[in-house]
Amino acid sequence: MKSYKFTLSYPEKKSPALENKIGPLVRKHNGKFESKFNFADNETIVTVTLPKADKAGFEADLKDPKYNFLHLESVVFAMDEE
């Protein structure tokens, strides 16, 4: 499956309140996400995997002011063997 992997971050420990904001956005674009806290930089790293077709819509929604706590670090095209 062709997909995009977005690496996002936010500057604090993993928070259920922020995870609850990210979840609906990711599900809206048929994706999945996982997050982990990076102790060295005191930030939470969120990895979002989306189908290729949903990339543009996700990027547009990410610009919404309610997601301004997220910082886009990178976007990588991936091929999963399934």
Side-chain angles (χ1 to χ4, degrees), residues 28-47:
K28 175 182 176 184
H29 296 285
N30 304 311
K32 58 184 177 180
F33 78 100
E34 58 183 49
S35 59
K36 63 182 178 180
F37 184 67
N38 181 351
F39 289 96
D41 295 332
N42 194 32
E43 68 182 1
T44 299
I45 305 297
V46 180
T47 305

Side-chain angles (χ1 to χ4, degrees), residues 8-77:
L8 309 162
S9 66
Y10 59 90
E12 54 190 71
K13 287 188 177 181
K14 205 170 157 177
S15 161
L18 295 178
E19 299 282 314
N20 289 338
K21 286 184 177 182
I22 297 168
L25 171 66
V26 173
R27 285 189 299 274
K28 175 182 176 184
H29 296 285
N30 304 311
K32 58 184 177 180
F33 78 100
E34 58 183 49
S35 59
K36 63 182 178 180
F37 184 67
N38 181 351
F39 289 96
D41 295 332
N42 194 32
E43 68 182 1
T44 299
I45 305 297
V46 180
T47 305
V48 177
T49 305
L50 297 173
K52 182 180 176 186
D54 294 312
K55 178 184 183 259
F58 181 76
E59 287 177 321
D61 285 349
L62 200 55
K63 293 177 184 173
D64 189 309
K66 69 181 174 183
Y67 301 113
N68 65 359
F69 65 95
L70 290 169
H71 303 283
L72 181 62
E73 302 292 334
S74 67
V75 180
V76 178
F77 181 71

Side-chain angles (χ1 to χ4, degrees), residues 1 78-82:
M1 179 174 96
M79 274 297 266
D80 293 335
E81 293 182 23
E82 290 186 355

